[in-house]
Amino acid sequence: MNNPLVSIVVPCYNQGQYLDEALQSILEQTYENWECIIVNDGSPDNTEEEAKKWILKDTRFKYVYSKNKGVSHARNLGIAIAKGELILPLDADDKIGQNYIKKGSELFQENPSLKLVYCLAMKFGDENGEWNLPVFSLENLSKDNLIFCSALYKKTDWYFIGGYDEQMKSGLEDWEFWISLLKNGGEVVQIKEVEFYYRIKKSSRQTDLTNDNRKSLFEYMSIKHADFFVKQLGTFKHLDSVIKSTKSEFKNKLQSKKFVIDLFCTTFFHFSIFGLYKKNK
């Protein structure tokens, strides 16, 4: 893999107002061998109008329209027509740092067996600051998603695992994709610099995800990747045993006068110190 073409796939549904910022961050990349496929997922806003401006600005930008079928379908559609060896998904309301593709592609050139490259991230928009994610491990991945959607991987790996699961229209499709990609092994490298910017909004697919939908998605993933979750977390019997043991231990502690007194004193001390701090501030 020498100076590989990187295909950036940008699905867009009702995010036309943010699209300029996302595409500008691609145009400013220090790595020049890229193409960007903008996928209009049947958006009723001005996505098409905004996208066509960029096609005229730089021929590396491409545009495709689809009826609204969800982000998994939009990504799969863009990746299917992508010509790059490496894929980088980017949501239309997020941004990437100008050296992200350069650093990521270099890592793949140095290590052809690499499966995934991501980086440090910052939040912006309604919330600002560093996005602190757990350190990557398969065990941590089994507990929650800890890699944002904008990570680099090979198109051949996307093809091998069958792409993004289009059944997961409500959300969590990124988490499921990373499990499919990594559960059987493969090296993951995190670039220790901020090269991804995640927009926080009051309303998003994540914030709008209902408890019922989330429960349904968890059940679906538990069945689809039962082998992975059992390997990382243990069987349901083991988990039940751990829960019972933890409850029993805590119950015994609560029955211990010393434990209760110590807990009360520690809590009272912390509140007292906090009260003095607020008073003297």
Side-chain angles (χ1 to χ4, degrees):
M1 187 181 289
N2 184 26
N3 192 37
L5 176 65
V6 178
S7 296
I8 306 128
V9 177
V10 183
C12 193
Y13 180 78
N14 274 348
Q15 295 173 320
Q17 61 180 314
Y18 306 117
L19 191 57
D20 275 353
E21 289 182 75
L23 301 185
Q24 184 64 38
S25 74
I26 295 170
L27 189 64
E28 293 173 354
Q29 291 300 297
T30 54
Y31 187 85
E32 297 184 350
N33 193 23
W34 55 263
E35 65 172 359
C36 175
I37 301 167
I38 307 160
V39 183
N40 182 347
D41 186 29
S43 186
D45 66 359
N46 63 335
T47 290
E48 182 166 317
E49 179 186 347
E50 291 298 318
K52 287 184 174 179
K53 288 186 204 172
W54 288 87
I55 294 170
L56 296 173
K57 188 178 294 190
D58 193 306
T59 56
R60 290 175 293 180
F61 289 104
K62 299 173 176 63
Y63 173 76
V64 61
Y65 177 87
S66 169
K67 290 183 178 179
N68 178 240
K69 294 182 180 180
V71 68
S72 290
H73 176 267
R75 285 194 192 129
N76 285 337
L77 176 62
I79 296 169
I81 63 175
K83 297 177 181 178
E85 295 175 70
L86 296 176
I87 302 297
L88 176 65
L90 177 64
D91 285 350
D93 55 348
D94 296 330
K95 300 185 293 184
I96 51 174
Q98 62 180 6
N99 293 310
Y100 193 18
I101 297 178
K102 180 177 184 294
K103 292 173 182 175
S105 63
E106 284 174 352
L107 287 167
F108 275 100
Q109 290 174 71
E110 292 166 7
N111 183 2
S113 64
L114 197 58
K115 270 284 181 73
L116 185 74
V117 172
Y118 69 119
C119 61
L120 299 180
M122 293 285 287
K123 299 175 184 179
F124 74 105
D126 288 344
E127 183 182 335
N128 294 278
E130 187 176 348
W131 190 6
N132 294 311
L133 293 165
V135 175
F136 173 79
S137 70
L138 288 178
E139 183 181 352
N140 283 341
L141 185 63
S142 71
K143 296 173 182 175
D144 203 353
N145 190 16
L146 41 85
I147 303 174
F148 39 80
C149 75
S150 295
L152 289 118
Y153 55 86
K154 297 174 187 173
K155 181 174 178 178
T156 51
D157 285 331
W158 166 85
Y159 180 81
F160 180 76
I161 64 176
Y164 291 88
D165 190 331
E166 297 185 18
Q167 298 297 315
M168 303 188 70
K169 291 183 179 180
S170 301
L172 307 185
E173 73 288 332
D174 298 328
W175 186 17
E176 192 280 326
F177 183 80
W178 301 139
I179 291 173
S180 296
L181 180 68
L182 300 169
K183 69 178 183 179
N184 293 319
E187 189 176 348
V188 176
V189 173
Q190 184 186 46
I191 299 167
K192 299 301 182 183
E193 294 176 48
V194 175
E195 293 290 348
F196 177 68
Y197 299 87
Y198 181 66
R199 188 186 299 272
I200 302 294
K201 306 191 297 273
K202 290 179 181 177
S203 177
S204 68
R205 289 178 71 239
Q206 293 301 318
T207 59
D208 295 341
L209 192 60
T210 66
N211 288 333
D212 285 344
N213 280 341
R214 194 180 297 274
K215 181 176 181 290
S216 177
L217 290 168
F218 286 156
E219 289 173 351
Y220 178 78
M221 288 175 62
S222 297
I223 295 169
K224 182 174 181 178
H225 297 293
D227 57 337
F228 171 70
F229 288 112
V230 168
K231 185 176 180 180
Q232 298 303 322
L233 300 175
T235 65
F236 70 92
K237 194 64 179 174
H238 168 74
L239 291 174
D240 184 55
S241 175
V242 170
I243 292 168
K244 286 179 178 177
S245 175
T246 303
K247 285 181 176 178
S248 176
E249 182 182 349
F250 189 68
K251 184 179 179 181
N252 290 335
K253 282 184 176 180
L254 285 178
Q255 289 173 347
S256 164
K257 291 182 179 179
K258 184 179 184 304
F259 175 80
V260 173
I261 291 169
D262 287 347
L263 181 62
F264 172 79
C265 291
T266 302
T267 305
F268 180 76
F269 174 75
H270 285 159
F271 274 107
S272 298
I273 293 298
F274 181 72
L276 285 171
Y277 169 76
K278 292 290 287 183
K279 183 178 179 180
N280 296 325
K281 190 175 178 182

